[in-house]
Amino acid sequence: MKTNKSLPYLFIAPALLLFTLFTIYPIFSSFFLSFQSMEGGKYEFTGLSNYTRLFGDDIFWKALGNTGVILIVQVPVMILLALVLANALNSQLLKLKGFFRVSFFLPAVTSLVAYSILFSIILQDEGIMNTILGFFGIDAIQWLGDPFWAKVSIIVAMTWRWTGYNMVIFLAALQSLSREVYEAADLDGANRIQKFFHVTVPQLKPVILFATILSTIGTLQLFDEPFNLTKGGPADSTMTLGLYIYQNGFEYFDFGYASAIAYVVVLLVGILTFFQFKFTGDKS
Amino acid sequence: MRKIGLYSLLGLFTIISIFPFYWMFIGATNESGKMFTNPPTLKPGDQFMTNLQNLNASIDLGRVFFNSVFVSGVYVIVALMVCSTAAYALAKFEFKGRNAIFTTLLLSMMIPYQATLIPLFQLMSNFNLLDTYFALIVPQLCFPFAIFLLRQNFLAFPTELIEAARLDGAGEMRIFLTIVLPSMKPAMAAAAIFLFMTQWNNFMWPLVATTSNEMATLPVALSSLIGLSIIDYGQVMMGVTIATIPIIVFFLALQRHFISGMLGSAVK
């Protein structure tokens, strides 16, 4: 079928134009900006100075460490939880499936700002979380005031927000798995837990990889939660790379330095994605 | 036995998922101090109107709500046009550079948003577009994930139908609008919900792109409330409720399309 040669380009032109202007151009522009610093009122090329400055910047290392800790704890916990819930919802005999699915997904619909603020109120020293813990005889925890618990708060909040989202992705994949493999496992006398780890998880590997990469990218950009929940505190214990980029760019107006941190994030996304592909041995 | 365990597990997670929303409603209808009592206040109070008035006095609620609705509404319509035409071209036409364009779009999803934030800000600033609806709406109109989602669905549309329409002499735009799109309603609905949610909940870009209170969107205005030295929690909870209820209603109304749309894109 012959069609006019320019026609496909006409269809794609608006998207391409917007994409070039507002995505491609900024990506390159911020890369060049990361080699510049403000000297006497205007930006000058200063080589790697922004990057070398990072090495001596304690807050940067703290932000990197915090982001790493949150990543290492939060993503696996959430993925496992999402898998368990998806597996439970996929059960043949279960009633109220639609209700559970919508309930679990509901947190993923709300804005990051709204739920961060909500959690900041729930987690106050005198807040309802501590009141509930009190009923079980657990002493009040300084959720937002203690460096360790502040990180836990961020992790709890993120897990609440995103587990249902990942669950839906896994549920979709589960529904496309063939029943025969499970019947074979039944014949071999596998129990539920064995089936989960030896039949379900291996078959879902590509989807788990997909969800893990998405969550990793999301966590490396973490901003809304610390900004609204803890402001990065106490003592920078919840400072993240995303928050530090914002502070440098829009509070100190050091665009060059902020861009350099942004490119560290780009690099990390690249490296982690590469290793996640490698680790799971997926060639595509 | 096993069933009881399953339902208890799911019940527990339902409570964990839903309780914060209930607590938000409790907060919005009670005085500030009622959120910190022991035993906790679990019943709705009668301070709904007071909290609403106080919130309105703090953030010009009508204007901010309008900004969020207007920006999200216009965004969804224009973004759907931009993304669906692009997705259609990528799914149904052979042309030079098609794969390169598609790969670049996909790869761009891996680039953290923050790497584009500062140049975008400078761009808007240089053209004096900060604090305008243009700045809030236009930069994210080409949304790679929406293109990806729509393309997956367009691929499944029978090419023979398009060719038959061409033989009948229909123009390409007419084929797209009157033959392809009508059968793509579920996919378009899923993309629309996704785009609406993204824009309604967007925070970082509106935070840097708006400087005046008149142009703030709901998340930005909400965030400004907790920066105050004395926080009126009743008012804040009312704000959180107003930012959350519309999106939940929107989602519940269209959740079938949304979940099936998400499912489709995740597995294919």
Side-chain angles (χ1 to χ4, degrees), chain B residues 175-191:
Chain B
I175 295 176
F176 177 64
L177 291 175
T178 62
I179 298 171
V180 182
L181 274 193
S183 72
M184 288 294 152
K185 267 185 198 150
M188 294 291 276

Side-chain angles (χ1 to χ4, degrees), chain A residues 111-121 157 224-226 228-229:
Chain A
S111 91
L112 295 165
V113 171
Y115 99 89
S116 302
I117 292 176
L118 191 60
F119 270 68
S120 78
I121 295 172
D224 295 29
E225 289 92 338
N228 289 297
L229 204 54

Side-chain angles (χ1 to χ4, degrees), chain A residues 1-3 5 7-9 11-12 14-16 18-19 21-27 29-31 33 43 81 84-85 88-89 91 93-96 98-115 117-122 124 126-128 131-132 135 160-161 165 168-169 171-173 175-176 192 207 210 213 217 220-224 227-229 231 241-243 245-246 249-250 253-255 258-259 262-263 265-266 269-270 273, chain B residues 2-3 6-7 9-11 13-14 16-21 23-24 35-42 82-83 85-86 88-90 93-97 101 104-105 108-124 134 138-142 144-145 147-148 163 166-167 172-173 176 194 197 200-204 207-208 218-220 222-223 226-227 233 236-237 240 243-244 247-248 251-252 255-256 258-259 262-267:
Chain A
M1 192 83 225
K2 270 259 182 281
T3 51
K5 271 238 168 88
L7 189 90
Y9 298 105
F11 271 84
I12 207 165
L16 221 48
L18 290 161
F19 184 70
L21 207 54
F22 298 116
T23 305
I24 300 287
Y25 161 75
I27 287 172
S29 175
S30 90
F31 184 66
L33 204 54
Y43 282 94
L81 205 57
V84 169
L85 290 178
L89 281 196
S91 159
L93 307 159
L94 188 76
K95 294 198 174 74
L96 297 171
F99 168 76
F100 287 129
R101 200 174 58 183
V102 170
S103 304
F104 297 159
F105 194 75
L106 216 48
V109 172
T110 57
S111 91
L112 295 165
V113 171
Y115 99 89
I117 292 176
L118 191 60
F119 270 68
S120 78
I121 295 172
I122 290 174
Q124 302 262 317
E126 309 282 311
I128 187 152
T131 314
I132 293 172
F135 284 127
W160 181 80
R161 171 67 162 64
Y165 184 87
V168 167
I169 295 176
L171 198 54
Q175 282 166 0
S176 67
R192 279 167 74 86
V207 184
F210 170 79
I213 290 174
I217 296 174
L220 285 172
Q221 299 186 59
L222 189 60
F223 170 75
D224 295 29
F227 185 86
N228 289 297
L229 204 54
K231 292 270 172 225
L241 294 169
L243 188 54
I245 292 169
Y246 174 82
F250 298 97
F253 293 98
D254 194 343
F255 288 158
S259 299
Y263 264 86
V265 178
V266 172
V269 168
T273 308
Chain B
R2 186 189 276 166
K3 258 193 151 176
L6 181 62
Y7 279 104
L9 175 83
L10 295 174
F13 278 100
T14 305
I16 295 174
S17 295
I18 306 276
F19 182 77
F21 293 111
W23 186 242
M24 165 184 96
M35 266 158 273
F36 307 104
T37 55
N38 189 0
T41 314
L42 289 174
V82 170
C83 295
T85 45
Y88 179 64
L90 289 170
F93 293 125
E94 297 275 345
F95 59 96
K96 235 194 203 137
I101 292 171
T104 311
L105 283 171
S108 78
M109 287 201 267
M110 309 249 311
I111 300 284
Y113 184 55
Q114 283 130 357
T116 63
L117 191 69
I118 289 165
L120 268 183
F121 175 82
Q122 290 179 320
L123 199 65
M124 291 300 158
F134 182 91
V138 176
Q140 290 179 85
L141 281 175
C142 172
F145 182 74
I147 295 180
F148 174 72
E163 281 169 1
R166 271 185 202 140
L167 288 177
E172 293 292 337
M173 207 56 197
F176 177 64
F194 183 81
M197 271 179 15
W200 179 266
N201 292 335
N202 195 3
F203 177 58
M204 201 177 191
L207 180 70
V208 301
L218 267 170
V220 176
L222 262 185
S223 181
I226 55 161
Y233 290 103
V236 173
M237 285 296 226
V240 173
T244 306
I247 195 79
I248 288 186
F251 167 72
L252 288 180
Q255 55 101 358
R256 258 166 220 290
F258 184 63
I259 291 188
M262 289 288 290
L263 298 188
S265 73
V267 280

Side-chain angles (χ1 to χ4, degrees), chain A residues 181-219:
Chain A
V181 202
Y182 286 96
E183 281 160 11
D186 281 333
L187 286 178
D188 291 340
N191 65 29
R192 279 167 74 86
I193 294 171
Q194 284 170 331
K195 271 191 280 184
F196 179 71
F197 283 107
H198 297 290
V199 182
T200 308
V201 171
Q203 288 205 79
L204 288 190
K205 224 165 79 175
V207 184
I208 295 173
L209 176 68
F210 170 79
T212 307
I213 290 174
L214 279 189
S215 304
T216 303
I217 296 174
T219 306

